[in-house]
Amino acid sequence: MKHKLTFLFILTIMVSCQPKQEEETKADFNVDYEKFELDNGLDVVFHVDRSDPVVAVALTAHVGSAREKEGRTGFAHLFEHLLFLESENLGKGGLDKLSARVGGSGANGSTSRDRTNYFQTVPNDALEKMLWAEADKLGWFINTVTDPVLAKEKQVVKNEKRQSVDNRPYGHTSYVIDKNLYPADHPYNWQVIGSLDDLQAATLADVKEFFNRWYVPNNVTLVVSGDFDVEQAKEWVHKYFDEIPKGETVETMQPRAGVVTENIRLYHEDNFARVPELTYTWPTVEQYHPDSYALDVLAQYLSSGKKAPFSQVLVEDKKLTSNVRMYNRTSELAGQYQLSVRAYSDKDLDEVAKAIEEAFEKFEAEGISEKDLSRIKAGQETSFYNGLSSVLGKGFQLAQYNIFANDPGFIKKDIERILAVSTADVKRVYEKYIKDKNFIATSFVPRGQKDLALANSEKAEVVEEAIVQGAEETFDASIQAEYERTPSSFDRTIEPAYGSAPEIQIPEVYEATLNNGIEIYGIENDEVPLVQINMVIDGGQLMEDMDKLGAANLMASIMTKGTANKTPEELEEAIDQLGARISVFAGKQSVRISANTLARNYDETLALMEEILLQPRWDENEFELAKQSTISQIRQQEANPNAIASNAYDILIYGKDDIRAQNTLGTIETVSNLTIDDLKAYYNANISPSVTRLHVVGDISENELVKSLNSLDSKWEAKEVKLPELSQPKAPTESQVYFYDVPGAKQSILNIGYPAMPATDEDYYPATVMNYILGGGGFASQLTQELREGKGYTYGVRSGFSGNEYDGTFTISSGVRTNVTLESTQLVKEILDNYGPGFTEKDLETTKGFLIKSNARAFETAGAKLNMLENISQFELPHDYVKDREAIVRGMTVEKIRQLSEKYLDENKMIWLVVGDAKSQLNRMKQLGFGEPTLINDMTGPEK
């Protein structure tokens, strides 16, 4: 079946200058797809997109945690991991090696309650290879799973849980909510990632039973999206997938809502929280239920923006928090509406609960206007287009609808339902699902501050892992599995050949300079009706005085809070009515103003950007709110191991008195002392077109763009801004271990590295090439293969060079299981020591294959194109600098790699930072061989 979908958006947008007039705006966007089904039940969906020589392949199984059994949770997510490791015809690590060779984005996957998907984008000459590999997952995989393989991957998944749940502030919130929202026999009662105990108890027989039941063609959708020959692809799909046998019939599960028979109040003292958080949850409806659309609008209206009742009451009036998060989470079987408030330090959550009641009462009295409903729908349109800006994004959407609506073309009906939501619908679903309905309230408070929890709350049941040295089982993941091979009608061990090499077209870049000095860099692209703008004003935190730290960040945060001619509410409404997004952000070395808008609304969006830039409001109330929010963020960083590691590492690299070592948020002391006059002074001294670069990608021509900037050119006068002269910090002459103590940490955060070189150094890109096999190549890298795949110490590890015009660093970073902190650093040390001498011709072949072939997908998305433009403008690179880099890669030799390794990877001249549990790990770190570890809690940290 061939289908052509035309997504027709009919949005009624009130014209601000003529409030009684309405303008009907239509936007057409076409997506072709073809669906067919194999005899074994496999659903196949094709979408052709000729814009780039790439193709995305996504294999989605209709199985998530909802298909698991109580006591055997986490299996679907475990298979997300296992299916990448080995198959009969690709061999151990075959998929990752293949992805690297062909220049793919990297094989990846995700698991939800209801589905598991596997995906990547590759140059289109590798499509047959990908189909061959994906078929191996379904038909020639399960025999390769052995007890050692299972034991190792259990450790990887457990590390992922530690990283995403156990070692993170408020990480156990979802667990507590779902255990109480869904009955014990409901498949949403447990978490997707499962429990550590269930994972540990899983046997090989359990795992194989689960695979054989659910990972069968009649429960899977294959989507191919991109630039490919349809008839040829059909032949390949039949060749590789036809002979995989059909599985048992998979029955459709019926919707089943959560149950809350009475209000439930629970609390948990969180080791990593520094401010209290209150979350309310109500049971609602499953995805695509007619009421789910109005619930989405309700959540957005109540919590997002200056006009939102919850923002007005909790943020503006009561000053209890900096923002309120609210959303309606829908899944295949049920939905849940959640409201979450992360209050300021020491705020009593009973006070927050009272304010929540007031906000709901305000909504009941005022309702939602047609104008507000219109602006929310405009934003939904922009979000829709953004989601379809890549071939993979389109593929995901087609698979989602095929599985859960049994129709890849359901998106048309989906959009119709979004646009059909009325103000009466919003009020109705509030009264049906939220007002006076039973709820679950969870209070997550800092350890030792139980008194901040809601009154009459009971202690939540949260299972926390104890740190026990040597607790995990040992395994040897290198053991080759012995099994009887699965038969096939042809020799599947032969990897398919490449197709015709894709013709790589570098986007055409145009440049211009305005009279006031703004440098313009643009790429015209009409794949989707959007325009993305990124204005970079050099300076950022570098221009701050040490006693005014945080000034740039605070200035940026209030620049979108009104203008001289618009109140904060009026500005926000003007942006929202266009379906646009405008943000201002201050970083280490620049202030950035970014916008994302529908092409038809570009002129109006640009006018608002100009107004924000040239006519700041300097609103005292917004300034005080921003200060309070920033101080709260700094406090929250104090117990977040990742934030601690980032801030501490900067100080160790640059020295505590260097501006580059400071937290961009500032410190509690400096932020508390900042005045609005300090922000004005920063703005007047540093915001100038003379240090500004403008990057634009989207559905607008060069002539249209330059002409549109006439106003900005004439109104924004240039002034001299002298950027600081910075030098490369000195690298250590010997290695030293630094330890920041986070008592009870379930993982140790490792940052290992040194000040290396700026991005303008002639060795910078060659060193980046050298690093690919070390830790820049994902699963193709030695660090990942050894620490994750070989030992199960971590969920992820990476290394790389980063730099700018002034300086640069080399860094290895990872979060490792607490009780193998020493062993992980010893292994990193060994890998660094052996990297150059052990580098082989095969490693070089993999490096070259990836870095050259991946250029086919280097410019697919608007974000990639913007990044290209920024590289060109920041480092004064030629438009075709990719070709220069390709020449460097082609000219690389094993000897050159070894020379670069010897020069830039000396493990004996690095900073070895550990952020973790000192009680169990500090003394052990002496065995690394770099002397006595230095405890740095008193020297550095987010609060210093």
Side-chain angles (χ1 to χ4, degrees), residues 88-89 132 135-136 139-140 238-245 484-494:
E88 293 182 28
N89 301 298
W132 166 68
D136 236 39
W140 292 265
H238 283 292
K239 175 180 178 180
Y240 294 112
F241 287 90
D242 268 354
E243 63 179 333
I244 303 173
E484 182 179 345
R485 293 185 61 85
T486 306
S488 175
S489 60
F490 62 97
D491 188 355
R492 288 179 177 262
T493 63
I494 300 174

Side-chain angles (χ1 to χ4, degrees), residues 403-530:
I403 290 173
F404 298 116
N406 198 32
D407 176 15
F410 182 78
I411 194 166
K412 187 174 187 296
K413 185 176 291 185
D414 204 14
I415 294 299
E416 289 172 352
R417 290 181 178 180
I418 290 172
L419 298 180
V421 172
S422 67
T423 56
D425 290 330
V426 177
K427 195 71 179 287
R428 176 182 56 78
V429 295
Y430 167 72
E431 293 174 349
K432 184 174 182 178
Y433 300 104
I434 310 299
K435 184 180 179 180
D436 299 327
K437 299 300 184 292
N438 293 329
F439 57 77
I440 298 166
T442 60
S443 302
F444 273 59
V445 298
R447 189 173 295 280
Q449 294 187 274
K450 174 186 169 184
D451 57 313
L452 297 180
L454 280 187
N456 303 316
S457 292
E458 298 182 2
K459 184 175 176 59
E461 293 184 13
V462 173
V463 179
E464 298 203 71
E465 182 186 24
I467 301 171
V468 180
Q469 207 62 43
E472 282 73 20
E473 63 183 300
T474 59
F475 55 84
D476 183 357
S478 67
I479 297 175
Q480 293 292 326
E482 295 183 2
Y483 50 82
E484 182 179 345
R485 293 185 61 85
T486 306
S488 175
S489 60
F490 62 97
D491 188 355
R492 288 179 177 262
T493 63
I494 300 174
E495 180 179 324
Y498 283 108
S500 300
E503 182 179 348
I504 299 170
Q505 295 183 340
I506 298 173
E508 184 176 340
V509 176
Y510 58 82
E511 292 187 31
T513 302
L514 300 184
N515 293 325
N516 62 6
I518 296 178
E519 299 174 2
I520 300 168
Y521 301 82
I523 296 173
E524 183 176 355
N525 182 268
D526 61 359
E527 291 177 37
V528 289
L530 294 174

